[in-house]
Amino acid sequence: MSDCLSEDGINQEEAEDDVLTPAKLISKLEEAWLNEKFSPELLENRSEMVECVMEQLTHMESNLQRVKAGDAMASVHRMEVDRIRFVLSSYLRSRLQKIEKFFPHVLEKEKSRADGQPSLLSPEEFAFAKEYYANTESYLKTVALKRMPANLQTVDMLKAVPEPCLDSFVFLRVKERQENIFVEPETDDQREYVVDLEEGSQHLMRYRTIAPLVSSGAVQLI
Amino acid sequence: MDPSEVEFLAEKEFVKIIPNFSLNMIHLIGGDLGPFNPGLPVDVPVWLALNLKQRQKCRIIPPDWMDVEKLEEMRELERRENAFTPVPSPYYMELTKLLLNHASDNIPKADEIRTLVKDIWDTRIAKLRLSADSFISQQEAHAQLDNLTLMEINTVREFLLDSLNCMYKLRSNLQPGSRKGQFTDH
């Protein structure tokens, strides 16, 4: 597995396509944070990005340990590390909240994805989701279900837990120009129409139509 | 999104400072800053500028747009136009608040600037309220809001998105045909 950043955090000339400078990595983290915060469904897992950010943070923290107290630069680095850590924690927290909210659907999606497709959950998140499912099941059983008549003792989790509403409205900013985005009418007497999304413009529309653009990075949720 | 999170994003904007200390270049994860020489202006992110100012290690130079005449012109333009006019900075409200709270001694006519920015903000929020109202009552499916800043969007975000989603639920329950599963209540 290739490291996406070199030892001292400075970008070196490498032949690989996915070499990122630390600055770009942090801005990608912030974009992923905002997208995850505002999207109604759980977005694709970005564990390489999370790992790279953790690497940068632990590297910087170990440097800070070695430096003597009172160094002018140390507090600046520490502030930056705190800021990045906040964004990373908030990102992971958003994901966990969504996993807890939609756990049967998330697990179902993960189970039914093809081998080539990127996964929705990191291994730790997958373990968390499975445990949460098992705990909820046993909780329901212990508290109520075992006292029900025998033929009513199962709960179909997929039906019991509401699925994410992909028709929610979201605010977005366009990063790459898109043409002919379909806008469905709200009422029966309106006609459906298409809009072109210009680069740099901001819009308010349904999540469902632009969901693939969020995963590809063509739009940013704000 | 919490307003303090919008402020967090605003703190990444760059501002010019004049340090009174000297330091070599700092290599932060997010980029390189400096070198710092006393008396020479240097660009740093707002979070660093505020910290240095609080430790009395620098003087903050207000951004170009933070000037009484320019803001007065902007306020007049905003009041004349029905649509949203372009803003001086995508984070004008947060930057004004942060810089005026921490560095008002470095900014000439700070009080006037505060009033002018507040006037511009009030006009824009009034326009936003009107357009959100017409968006809902005409049941539009799409809106373009190019010149709105994140802080303004954030003020109406929860209420507007919740109401739109509620209306969608009510409307889709009127239509025959079932959807699998139910919708979440936000």
Side-chain angles (χ1 to χ4, degrees):
Chain A
M1 188 171 69
S2 61
D3 243 20
C4 57
L5 294 165
S6 60
E7 252 294 279
D8 52 359
I10 299 175
N11 186 20
Q12 289 177 351
E13 301 294 322
E14 288 186 41
E16 299 166 23
D17 295 322
D18 54 0
V19 158
L20 282 175
T21 62
K24 280 196 85 181
L25 174 70
I26 300 302
S27 68
K28 269 194 180 321
L29 173 66
E30 284 169 359
E31 283 169 11
W33 169 53
L34 290 176
N35 279 344
E36 196 72 61
K37 216 184 223 298
F38 298 128
S39 124
E41 59 168 358
L42 186 67
L43 296 176
E44 218 171 86
N45 163 48
R46 311 279 298 269
S47 36
E48 291 127 32
M49 180 190 69
V50 172
E51 264 169 44
C52 286
V53 173
M54 281 307 297
E55 232 176 79
Q56 286 288 297
L57 289 180
T58 42
H59 181 76
M60 189 58 86
E61 298 215 320
S62 65
N63 284 348
L64 285 174
Q65 299 278 29
R66 288 186 274 137
V67 130
K68 60 183 186 317
D71 186 14
M73 289 200 257
S75 60
V76 175
H77 285 288
R78 196 159 282 127
M79 269 195 289
E80 199 206 12
V81 162
D82 284 341
R83 285 177 66 92
I84 297 175
R85 209 174 263 288
F86 164 71
V87 175
L88 183 61
S89 319
S90 187
Y91 169 70
L92 294 173
R93 239 195 333 262
S94 283
R95 286 182 65 86
L96 284 181
Q97 272 168 0
K98 280 194 226 174
I99 291 177
E100 281 186 10
K101 205 167 175 187
F102 306 124
F103 63 96
H105 307 284
V106 159
L107 285 171
E108 186 66 29
K109 218 168 159 186
E110 189 69 1
K111 229 187 332 182
S112 58
R113 84 179 159 91
D115 269 326
Q117 278 178 331
S119 78
L120 198 58
L121 302 170
S122 74
E124 295 90 351
E125 285 168 350
F126 186 59
F128 173 76
K130 285 219 300 255
E131 232 181 278
Y132 193 84
Y133 189 107
N135 288 344
T136 316
E137 258 187 348
S138 71
Y139 168 72
L140 289 175
K141 198 167 300 242
T142 331
V143 162
L145 288 179
K146 67 181 186 192
R147 300 174 222 278
M148 304 278 181
N151 58 341
L152 290 174
Q153 276 192 10
T154 54
V155 167
D156 181 358
M157 288 295 194
L158 282 175
K159 286 220 206 97
V161 175
E163 41 173 40
C165 178
L166 296 180
D167 288 299
S168 336
F169 276 81
V170 289
F171 289 98
L172 56 100
R173 183 183 305 135
V174 181
K175 293 196 345 215
E176 291 163 16
R177 183 165 199 280
Q178 302 293 323
E179 308 211 324
N180 297 335
I181 301 298
F182 202 57
V183 176
E184 278 173 28
E186 295 290 308
T187 59
D188 291 327
D189 37 306
Q190 281 172 3
R191 194 118 300 145
E192 49 213 19
Y193 56 100
V194 291
V195 287
D196 289 337
L197 301 179
E198 298 295 326
E199 195 179 313
S201 59
Q202 296 174 165
H203 299 264
L204 167 65
M205 50 201 293
R206 287 266 170 80
Y207 178 74
R208 195 183 284 274
T209 9
I210 50 120
L213 300 176
V214 175
S215 343
S216 72
V219 310
Q220 165 78 49
L221 297 182
I222 54 173
Chain B
M1 190 177 221
D2 199 73
S4 51
E5 289 171 332
V6 184
E7 199 180 69
F8 176 83
L9 287 172
E11 287 176 340
K12 292 187 317 158
E13 293 288 295
F14 275 80
V15 73
K16 255 195 187 12
I17 61 161
I18 299 192
N20 57 19
F21 60 96
S22 80
L23 196 58
N24 290 331
M25 277 189 97
I26 318 182
H27 303 284
L28 292 177
I29 300 176
D32 295 335
L33 295 178
F36 297 85
N37 292 312
L40 293 179
V42 64
D43 280 322
V44 295
V46 168
W47 57 268
L48 181 57
L50 294 179
N51 183 273
L52 290 175
K53 173 77 185 168
Q54 282 174 329
R55 297 195 288 175
Q56 297 176 324
K57 283 175 171 293
C58 77
R59 188 161 70 86
I60 297 189
I61 299 182
D64 288 335
W65 53 266
M66 210 176 264
D67 164 79
V68 173
E69 279 109 41
K70 294 212 182 101
L71 287 175
E72 269 174 357
E73 265 177 49
M74 268 183 248
R75 181 180 61 173
E76 292 317 306
L77 186 61
E78 194 72 55
R79 283 178 176 167
R80 272 201 315 265
E81 298 284 320
N82 273 339
F84 292 96
T85 60
V87 271
S89 152
Y91 297 105
Y92 72 96
M93 193 63 190
E94 302 85 297
L95 289 180
T96 313
K97 174 196 163 237
L98 286 170
L99 294 181
L100 288 180
N101 281 350
H102 296 268
S104 54
D105 49 334
N106 293 153
I107 299 174
K109 303 204 203 159
D111 285 333
E112 279 182 52
I113 290 185
R114 209 189 289 262
T115 334
L116 283 168
V117 170
K118 177 125 202 335
D119 286 341
I120 296 178
W121 168 268
D122 286 338
T123 321
R124 290 171 69 91
I125 290 292
K127 282 188 208 171
L128 182 59
R129 237 180 265 136
L130 282 176
S131 63
D133 188 48
S134 76
F135 185 86
I136 293 186
S137 56
Q138 288 168 18
Q139 299 188 355
E140 303 268 359
H142 163 265
Q144 184 155 351
L145 8 96
D146 275 351
N147 290 321
L148 274 187
T149 65
L150 198 56
M151 193 58 125
E152 287 153 359
I153 290 177
N154 202 51
T155 333
V156 294
R157 184 197 304 278
E158 261 194 62
F159 178 69
L160 183 62
L161 296 185
D162 267 352
S163 4
L164 289 170
N165 294 341
C166 272
M167 279 176 38
Y168 176 77
K169 261 188 267 183
L170 292 172
R171 242 194 328 268
S172 59
N173 280 336
L174 288 176
Q175 286 158 11
S178 57
R179 300 187 59 95
K180 91 167 150 69
Q182 313 112 37
F183 297 124
T184 46
D185 259 324
H186 292 280

